[in-house]
Amino acid sequence: MDERQEYFALVLDVRTQAEFESTPPGTADNPSGHMAGAYFIDSLGATGLVPNDILGCRSCNVAVYCRTGVRSKAASVVLESHGFTNVACAE
């Protein structure tokens, strides 16, 4: 785990299921892989639904990422509308 990831209590991967499954955890040789320990939520921004098991993290530092930054931005908006106060969108 790198220093940036340690700062966040919750790291959300909001790519599609296929994108998540096709990329093993990132390494120096494959930096585009998913972050080890990331919580996968399929296209959170598209559904507008926040899983119950992360609702307790509303005051945690949350990082959201996807492949291009578009879905992570939409997911950040959804999280903030559900009361999450410390959301960072990785682009």
Side-chain angles (χ1 to χ4, degrees):
M1 185 179 307
D2 69 29
E3 292 174 22
R4 291 171 297 167
Q5 192 172 355
E6 289 177 8
Y7 174 79
F8 295 101
L10 182 62
V11 177
L12 301 178
D13 183 326
V14 294
R15 298 177 299 161
T16 65
Q17 182 80 37
E19 288 172 325
F20 183 80
E21 290 175 354
S22 70
T23 56
T27 63
D29 296 332
N30 178 23
S32 64
H34 65 263
M35 290 182 168
Y39 186 93
F40 171 70
I41 301 175
D42 190 0
S43 303
L44 172 66
T47 65
L49 301 174
V50 177
N52 289 334
D53 51 342
I54 69 166
L55 289 175
C57 294
R58 286 187 174 113
S59 62
C60 299
N61 293 324
V62 180
V64 185
Y65 74 97
C66 67
R67 188 172 52 89
T68 64
V70 173
R71 286 171 285 184
S72 58
K73 179 62 178 165
S76 296
V77 170
V78 170
L79 290 168
E80 290 168 351
S81 74
H82 281 83
F84 287 78
T85 56
N86 300 308
V87 180
C89 178
E91 296 182 15

